[in-house]
Amino acid sequence: MKTIMLDAEFADENGKSHHLKLKHFDPTKTADQIKTALTNLTKLNLFEKDGVALFKKVLQARIIVQEVHTVFDDREDNENTADDPMT
């Protein structure tokens, strides 16, 4: 299974770094589209902690592609045997 995630780094009002990670991100978006969307997010003033606005300036954004390979999964077998009193 492959997961695509956007990791955006922002600076808060005090200059401290914060990350916003979005799963299932559309990797076909251009860098300009991504930067515009993230910049628009800074104008909404939605996120605040202890009176400090968290996402005031976009610093960078990265696309992360993660692959997960299941080696084995016994959950289905365990559920079936738990219901069977003969096992």
Side-chain angles (χ1 to χ4, degrees):
M1 179 174 90
K2 188 183 280 191
T3 302
I4 299 174
M5 179 174 24
L6 178 72
D7 178 9
E9 183 179 3
F10 295 84
D12 68 12
E13 285 181 321
N14 298 331
K16 185 177 176 185
S17 173
H18 296 275
H19 288 261
L20 177 65
K21 295 181 181 180
L22 304 168
K23 288 185 178 182
H24 309 293
F25 173 75
D26 181 1
T28 63
K29 301 293 183 192
T30 66
D32 287 337
Q33 289 173 316
I34 296 167
K35 188 171 185 176
T36 298
L38 294 174
T39 301
N40 287 340
L41 182 63
T42 65
K43 297 174 184 175
L44 297 176
N45 296 319
L46 292 175
F47 303 98
E48 182 180 296
K49 182 176 180 182
D50 299 327
V52 176
L54 298 180
F55 302 122
K56 290 305 283 183
K57 181 180 178 184
V58 179
L59 301 176
Q60 70 172 334
R62 298 180 188 159
I63 294 175
I64 300 170
V65 179
Q66 180 182 28
E67 288 192 45
V68 177
H69 301 277
T70 302
V71 177
F72 65 89
D73 186 349
D74 288 339
R75 290 180 295 177
E76 187 173 312
D77 291 340
N78 289 338
E79 290 174 5
N80 291 339
T81 57
D83 293 336
D84 185 2
M86 301 302 289
T87 328

